[in-house]
Amino acid sequence: MRKPVRTRVRRFWPMRLAAASTVLALLCCVPGVSAGPAQPGPVRFNRDIRPILSDNCLQCHGPDKAKRKAKLNLDTREGLFTSPENRPPVTPHKPDQSEMVRRITASDPDEKMPPAKTGKTLTREQVALIRRWVEQGAPWEGHWSFTPPVRPVPPSVADKSWVRNPIDRFVFARLRTEELHPSQEADRRTLIRRLSFDLTGLPPAPAEAEAFAKDHRPKAYDERVEALLASPHFGERMALYWLDLVRYSDTDGFHADNYRSVWPYRDYVIKAFNRNLPFNQFTMEQIAGDLLPNATLDQKTASTYNRLNRTTEEGGAQAKDYLAKYAADRVRTTSVAWLGATFGCAECHDHKYDPYSTRDFYSFEAFFADLQEVGVGKPEPVLLPDEQQAAELKSMDAELARLQSVLDTATPELASAQSAWEQSLLSQPLPKEGPWHSIGPFSAGSFAAAFKTVFPPEAEVDLGRAYEEGKLKWTPRPDWADGVAHNDLMGENAANYLFRVITAEKTESLNLSLGSDDAIKLWVNGKEVLAHEVQRGVAPDQEKVTIELQAGENRLLMKIVNASAGSGFYFNAGLGVPDNILIIVKTQATERKPEQQTELAKYYRSTAPSLAATRSGLEATKKRRAEFVNGIPTTLATVAVAPRPIHVLPRGNWMDESGEIVLPGVPRALGHLETSGERATRLDLARWLVSGKNPLTARVFVNRLWKMFYGTGLSKSVDDLGTRGEPPSHPELLDWLAVEFVDSGWDVKHLVRLMVGSSTYRQTSQPGPGMRERDPENRLLARQSSFRLDAELVRDNALAVSGLLNDAVGGPSVKPYQPAGYWDFLNFPKRTWEADHGQADGPLLPEDHAPHARLERAQRGLRRLRPLRHACTSGVSPAASSSEAALRSAAAPCAKSAFDTVAPASSGVAVASASIRGLPSTPHTTARRRTLPPRSSAYAPSGTWQFAPSERSTARSASAAR
């Protein structure tokens, strides 16, 4: 199980689905996607030919050596233009002499490519395109994303009035090529709403929206951008995207899906974006923060990234299996997040489309071989004390060291007292233990019932009495020796009783070592001294208890309860000291080994009356320290150890270590690391990721950021910039932004300013005549896009406009409302979800549907961004269900506010709806006034207010503009 799929909620009213012909029209006008007759002009290999080869040829004639047919690789220049048989696939300018052209046009089924059995067929247009490319000289290009970006010169444009920064130059030039014009600027209210959601994830306050709508100063927009970038919520908005990318969750994912404390990492990410930490430093701190010289607490916290993978505590799991899973997860996550690369496809075999080998996969994995971790078990957290907490810990540790030193220091007084104590042990006789008697089994309906039921021996031990019509009698067991496990008790879901008399000459203590299969109870002189309901096999020292004996006879009764199969017990007694200590005491002092003398002295000091105050102080300080530590945040920060060997696993099989051992390295197609012959580290990897030698990282980040603000990346496949990914719609713009990002010092806020400050961003999202048909996905950017708001932001929006939002940033995660039974699928242990309380006297329970039940509690704070993230979940999305409950909580306060501020003739519901959308209250946005029935019937099935048909269309038009 993994982190739940985010349910996305419509940001604005959905566009009508385009017909197939409309999609075809878009494909024809966006570079990199061919779907029809080729455009006139030069044929580009990356734009026009590579996608055809990738879709139809590379599975058999690509990077995967194991699956490669005829030793032919069409993914490289050498493979296309040379051949060992002197019949190269492509002969430039000579299509009739090119083997590729001959084979794709062959009529003989045995000659034709691709073969019919593959189910792939080239269209006539694709065949014609390949022929034209060969006729034009077959110019070859390396894959666009593997080529280092070079800053292109922004194109000149005739209409400079629309251009605010270089982004607009690239977009405008492309629009003119397509004989299109940009759209007009959106209205002021739409712009501030757009900016607020994009940069903070929250709606603008009504007063801010009103002021911005009236402020037409040239600098007003830029000032608003700066204010939003300075908001603490900017970091939250950026963190939403990043945390999804690096698989952040507050639970461990596998098996029981238990909680783990990693929220300090989430707070680090928020803080990093807020203080505009350069992205190259952001990268190094996450991948190798623990390896940085004099690493700070923040940098160590950042290294939690490496341990955000799912882990298991399942007892039957194989540690090596899960260590392999954890390592592979880090390769996948890192390659996707920073490189937009699908390294995961090379875990079991060479990548079939991109130049990544299986050896590359495991060489990349070897960077993370130095992480301290266990394959199965709870991951060890790392304390994150602040300066004051660290000083307090240091003080307590010093006190513990002082007290321990007192206990460990030998003195003449202690030596004398120890000698006297040893003599008393030697002269003290052991209590006399009588023979065992047993009776049973007494059966019950279940194991638990057998443990709880008071059978007759518990009320009275009468060795001459029989039970259950004479079937059960007390039986002497002189053969049962102490210090040996006995496994001859009978009965399932049943209890057996064991009894003996112990005679002591005086009042004294007696140490017992006990074991049982399964549960056990113990009484001494009628007083219960032990009860442990457990299922286990018998073994020594499972229970250790000290009993107090009175002078004379002492009656000891033991109950052994069995669940199934065989049953047994273990019993041993001693003079208040462990057996190993008694052995040393009985050894002559002159014959004791040094280690025995040390062990004996240590034990005596643990009981010596003269050191009681020291022991008490030590225990009190340990307890105080443990309680203090419980209040210190922890996270799964990386701790480096000696790296373990990493093998290439044939077919990804963790049990097969026949593959070669590899050292850390980057994919050969992307270069190599210079480490002066030393083993490369995670810090070397991090530096390479943000170096000029890596062509991918800057492009990948820019592309994802573009998607945040425009709905679709310049390359639509943001997680795959490889051969199977989509070429960018504006390649020069993507490269310009990537180079600008690096040259700015990896300044994230600078990049954001450029994107949201452009005229391209400020356009209305309303399409002009014919544009929805011409460009349904808005890849040409002739308008702004309409797209869905993230589910977390839907929830935050509703809470914000209702006055329920607690906008405090950071701290431990909280549990929002979830539907009943949300945790029913979890076991080990079974749990029930309980929502956390707000700032006042309790949570706003989702079952309190009636608006009047909430009005007095409208100001309770519900946290944003901090809902507990699950690594696994049931079929219900937490984001969806949490938002649903939050919307219900928000509806009544918002409606009350609306009813209090509008005339009776209009509807508060519509005013509330307009408030949530950031729109003015006008007669055109009012809905029919409704009488609110009691409780949940006041809500639509989806938890939202209902509009009459005519009003619904009005509401749609009012909210369509982004």
Side-chain angles (χ1 to χ4, degrees):
M1 295 177 287
R2 192 61 189 128
K3 179 184 171 188
V5 176
R6 170 182 285 181
T7 297
R8 297 177 65 82
V9 182
R10 278 257 175 228
R11 186 168 195 173
F12 301 102
W13 291 97
M15 299 183 296
R16 294 180 179 178
L17 295 177
S21 59
T22 305
V23 176
L24 187 63
L26 173 63
L27 294 176
C28 291
C29 69
V30 176
V33 184
S34 300
Q39 301 176 64
V43 179
R44 297 280 299 275
F45 180 78
N46 276 339
R47 183 189 68 190
D48 303 315
I49 304 304
R50 190 185 290 275
I52 299 174
L53 299 180
S54 178
D55 287 344
N56 298 280
C57 309
L58 296 190
Q59 190 166 3
C60 299
H61 303 294
D64 187 355
K65 295 189 295 292
K67 298 293 183 180
R68 190 180 297 159
K69 304 290 180 64
K71 300 181 181 180
L72 181 62
N73 183 5
L74 300 181
D75 189 50
T76 64
R77 182 197 298 267
E78 293 74 18
L80 278 169
F81 298 107
T82 61
S83 171
E85 299 178 2
N86 203 29
R87 293 178 64 187
V90 175
T91 301
H93 302 292
K94 299 177 180 180
D96 293 333
Q97 297 180 25
S98 297
E99 184 68 10
M100 176 189 289
V101 176
R102 186 182 75 81
R103 298 297 289 271
I104 64 177
T105 58
S107 56
D108 185 345
D110 293 333
E111 292 280 307
K112 190 173 181 61
M113 288 290 165
K117 63 182 180 181
T118 66
K120 298 179 182 295
T121 304
L122 298 189
T123 66
R124 279 184 288 182
E125 290 81 4
Q126 289 173 326
V127 171
L129 197 62
I130 291 174
R131 175 177 281 276
R132 278 185 52 214
W133 172 66
V134 176
E135 288 173 346
Q136 293 176 6
W140 189 86
E141 298 170 304
H143 185 64
W144 66 270
S145 68
F146 300 151
T147 304
V150 176
R151 185 190 291 269
V153 177
S156 299
V157 296
D159 185 2
K160 296 182 180 180
S161 62
W162 188 76
V163 173
R164 285 190 166 93
N165 64 39
I167 290 176
D168 297 328
R169 290 183 177 274
F170 289 103
V171 172
F172 191 87
R174 176 64 190 283
L175 290 176
R176 296 307 297 153
T177 300
E178 301 290 337
E179 298 183 350
L180 295 173
H181 298 277
S183 299
Q184 65 182 7
E185 185 170 292
D187 64 87
R188 305 288 285 180
R189 194 176 298 277
T190 296
L191 284 178
I192 189 172
R193 177 175 167 79
R194 181 186 298 170
L195 278 174
S196 295
F197 272 117
D198 283 349
L199 299 188
T200 68
L202 291 170
E208 293 173 338
E210 214 46 52
F212 185 79
K214 297 175 181 178
D215 188 351
H216 296 281
R217 293 178 301 117
K219 293 184 178 180
Y221 184 92
D222 293 338
E223 290 173 357
R224 190 62 197 161
V225 170
E226 292 304 317
L228 293 170
L229 290 176
S231 167
H233 305 307
F234 170 75
E236 290 183 311
R237 176 67 186 94
M238 296 295 292
L240 279 176
Y241 126 76
W242 188 257
L243 295 177
D244 283 347
L245 196 58
V246 299
R247 80 294 199 217
Y248 173 89
S249 67
D250 293 289
T251 60
D252 58 27
F254 286 123
H255 193 46
D257 197 31
N258 289 320
Y259 174 78
R260 62 186 184 185
S261 175
V262 288
W263 62 263
Y265 170 79
R266 181 204 62 216
D267 287 3
Y268 160 82
V269 172
I270 295 172
K271 184 164 63 173
F273 280 118
N274 275 335
R275 62 190 178 101
N276 202 24
L277 183 69
F279 187 76
N280 58 343
Q281 186 67 20
F282 185 59
T283 296
M284 287 189 284
E285 291 182 0
Q286 290 181 88
I287 292 177
D290 59 306
L291 300 181
L292 292 172
N294 302 314
T296 66
L297 197 61
D298 270 355
Q299 290 168 338
K300 293 176 182 178
T301 301
S303 71
T304 301
Y305 159 78
N306 294 315
R307 299 180 65 195
L308 289 176
N309 52 280
R310 291 179 294 168
T311 58
T312 187
E313 299 176 48
E314 184 179 0
Q318 297 292 318
K320 285 179 64 176
D321 181 15
Y322 279 86
L323 285 174
K325 294 179 190 292
Y326 304 162
D329 175 271
R330 294 184 185 107
V331 175
R332 288 186 173 88
T333 303
T334 305
S335 63
V336 168
W338 274 273
L339 302 174
T342 54
F343 283 9
C345 296
E347 181 180 3
C348 303
H349 51 75
D350 290 348
H351 203 295
K352 293 188 179 299
Y353 301 102
D354 292 332
Y356 306 133
S357 67
T358 305
R359 193 179 193 280
D360 288 336
F361 180 93
Y362 290 99
S363 295
F364 202 85
E365 182 179 294
F367 281 113
F368 302 95
D370 66 335
L371 269 62
Q372 178 177 287
E373 62 181 339
V374 293
V376 178
K378 194 166 189 65
E380 186 69 24
V382 176
L383 287 175
L384 299 174
D386 58 27
E387 289 186 10
Q388 183 177 352
Q389 290 170 328
E392 182 67 17
L393 278 177
K394 185 177 181 181
S395 173
M396 285 189 282
D397 288 342
E399 177 64 7
L400 287 173
R402 185 189 69 79
L403 293 170
Q404 189 63 52
S405 176
V406 173
L407 285 179
D408 294 341
T409 301
T411 65
E413 293 80 9
L414 280 173
S416 176
Q418 179 180 326
S419 178
W421 169 73
E422 291 178 30
Q423 291 302 316
S424 69
L425 284 178
L426 293 173
S427 61
Q428 180 180 346
L430 281 169
K432 183 179 179 180
E433 299 170 343
W436 286 106
H437 291 73
S438 71
I439 191 171
F442 291 88
S443 297
S446 66
F447 170 72
F451 183 79
K452 295 175 182 177
T453 300
V454 178
F455 294 107
E458 294 183 36
E460 178 188 20
V461 176
D462 183 349
L463 299 182
R465 186 174 177 181
Y467 303 95
E468 297 188 4
E469 300 179 350
K471 295 179 181 178
L472 299 179
K473 299 178 181 180
W474 285 101
T475 304
R477 304 302 300 260
D479 55 316
W480 280 354
D482 291 349
V484 178
H486 301 282
N487 291 286
D488 47 359
L489 300 180
M490 305 298 291
E492 295 189 356
N493 294 328
N496 285 274
Y497 290 89
L498 318 178
F499 174 78
R500 81 187 317 175
V501 174
I502 300 177
T503 304
E505 292 185 0
K506 61 179 181 178
T507 300
E508 60 182 299
S509 299
L510 184 66
N511 286 351
L512 303 182
S513 169
L514 307 173
S516 61
D517 179 355
D518 291 296
I520 184 172
K521 283 189 177 183
L522 180 69
W523 295 264
V524 177
N525 297 325
K527 180 181 179 181
E528 184 181 288
V529 295
L530 173 66
H532 190 185
E533 184 177 0
V534 63
Q535 295 187 35
R536 64 190 178 192
V538 64
D541 297 334
Q542 289 175 322
E543 312 287 345
K544 291 187 176 182
V545 60
T546 299
I547 61 175
E548 301 300 325
L549 302 179
Q550 61 191 18
E553 289 191 352
N554 296 269
R555 297 167 67 84
L556 183 146
L557 178 68
M558 189 157 57
K559 178 181 182 180
I560 304 296
V561 182
N562 185 45
S564 61
S567 180
F569 77 100
Y570 174 89
F571 181 98
N572 202 16
L575 277 176
V577 296
D579 291 344
N580 61 317
I581 298 299
L582 279 176
I583 292 172
I584 299 173
V585 169
K586 293 177 181 179
T587 303
Q588 291 291 332
T590 56
E591 297 178 3
R592 294 171 187 166
K593 298 176 181 180
E595 56 268 24
Q596 289 180 312
Q597 294 174 350
T598 300
E599 185 178 3
L600 181 60
K602 182 179 180 180
Y603 177 79
Y604 174 71
R605 290 172 191 146
S606 71
T607 62
S610 62
L611 293 174
T614 301
R615 292 194 301 272
S616 176
L618 185 65
E619 291 305 314
T621 305
K622 286 181 178 178
K623 182 179 179 181
R624 183 163 61 89
R625 188 186 188 280
E627 292 173 348
F628 182 74
V629 165
N630 284 338
I632 297 176
T634 65
T635 190
L636 299 181
T638 299
V639 176
V641 295
R644 58 189 175 90
I646 297 297
H647 292 261
V648 174
L649 301 180
R651 299 183 64 83
N653 183 0
W654 64 272
M655 294 186 290
D656 185 350
E657 293 188 340
S658 63
E660 65 173 315
I661 294 178
V662 292
L663 295 175
V666 300
R668 295 178 182 178
L670 298 178
H672 64 281
L673 297 178
E674 296 289 349
T675 58
S676 302
E678 296 183 0
R679 179 188 174 98
T681 67
R682 284 180 283 114
L683 188 55
D684 294 316
L685 170 62
R687 287 170 174 158
W688 173 81
L689 286 172
V690 290
S691 73
K693 297 179 180 179
N694 176 10
L696 291 167
T697 301
R699 282 188 176 117
V700 169
F701 185 82
V702 164
N703 196 45
R704 284 204 176 94
L705 203 62
W706 189 273
K707 180 181 184 296
M708 285 181 63
F709 301 136
Y710 293 90
T712 304
L714 289 169
S715 171
K716 189 175 183 179
S717 50
V718 293
D719 290 335
D720 183 6
L721 298 193
T723 303
R724 299 290 286 174
E726 183 198 80
S729 58
H730 297 70
E732 293 81 10
L733 173 56
L734 180 58
D735 280 2
W736 188 91
L737 286 169
V739 175
E740 177 68 15
F741 185 37
V742 175
D743 289 351
S744 71
W746 300 86
D747 188 328
V748 175
K749 288 189 177 181
H750 170 68
L751 204 57
V752 173
R753 287 187 189 95
L754 281 172
M755 291 187 183
V756 303
S758 66
S759 293
T760 305
Y761 177 84
R762 299 191 200 187
Q763 295 177 99
T764 179
S765 61
Q766 298 285 2
M771 278 308 300
R772 199 180 296 282
E773 290 71 27
R774 170 76 183 275
D775 187 7
E777 294 186 3
N778 193 32
R779 304 305 305 284
L780 297 176
L781 301 169
R783 61 185 187 277
Q784 179 55 278
S785 300
S786 294
F787 51 93
R788 298 178 178 187
L789 193 66
D790 290 344
E792 295 96 328
L793 306 191
V794 173
R795 173 185 181 272
D796 289 349
N797 179 42
L799 293 174
V801 300
S802 313
L804 291 174
L805 184 68
N806 180 345
D807 61 0
V809 177
S813 297
V814 296
K815 288 193 262 184
Y817 312 129
Q818 298 293 4
Y822 178 63
W823 267 355
D824 282 356
F825 72 103
L826 289 178
N827 294 289
F828 314 110
K830 295 293 289 183
R831 278 153 275 182
T832 301
W833 180 275
E834 294 182 7
D836 285 328
H837 287 213
Q839 289 182 328
D841 59 350
L844 298 175
L845 301 177
E847 60 266 25
D848 291 341
H849 294 310
H852 66 268
R854 302 174 177 277
L855 299 184
E856 296 77 22
R857 301 188 287 173
Q859 297 306 313
R860 285 211 184 104
L862 300 178
R863 297 280 184 176
R864 76 176 304 249
L865 190 64
R866 288 173 39 193
L868 192 79
R869 282 187 176 217
H870 275 276
C872 70
T873 185
S874 61
V876 180
S877 164
S881 56
S882 174
S883 293
E884 172 75 8
L887 289 171
R888 290 176 180 265
S889 295
C894 188
K896 178 180 183 295
S897 174
F899 275 112
D900 289 345
T901 56
V902 298
S906 62
S907 168
V909 174
V911 176
S913 176
S915 175
I916 291 175
R917 295 198 307 276
L919 299 172
S921 174
T922 70
H924 299 291
T925 58
T926 59
R928 181 187 307 151
R929 187 179 182 88
R930 293 170 54 90
T931 301
L932 300 180
R935 303 191 69 76
S936 61
S937 58
Y939 293 85
S942 64
T944 57
W945 297 101
Q946 292 193 346
F947 290 83
S950 60
E951 294 150 356
R952 194 175 296 123
S953 61
T954 303
R956 181 184 296 114
S957 64
S959 63
R962 178 181 182 275

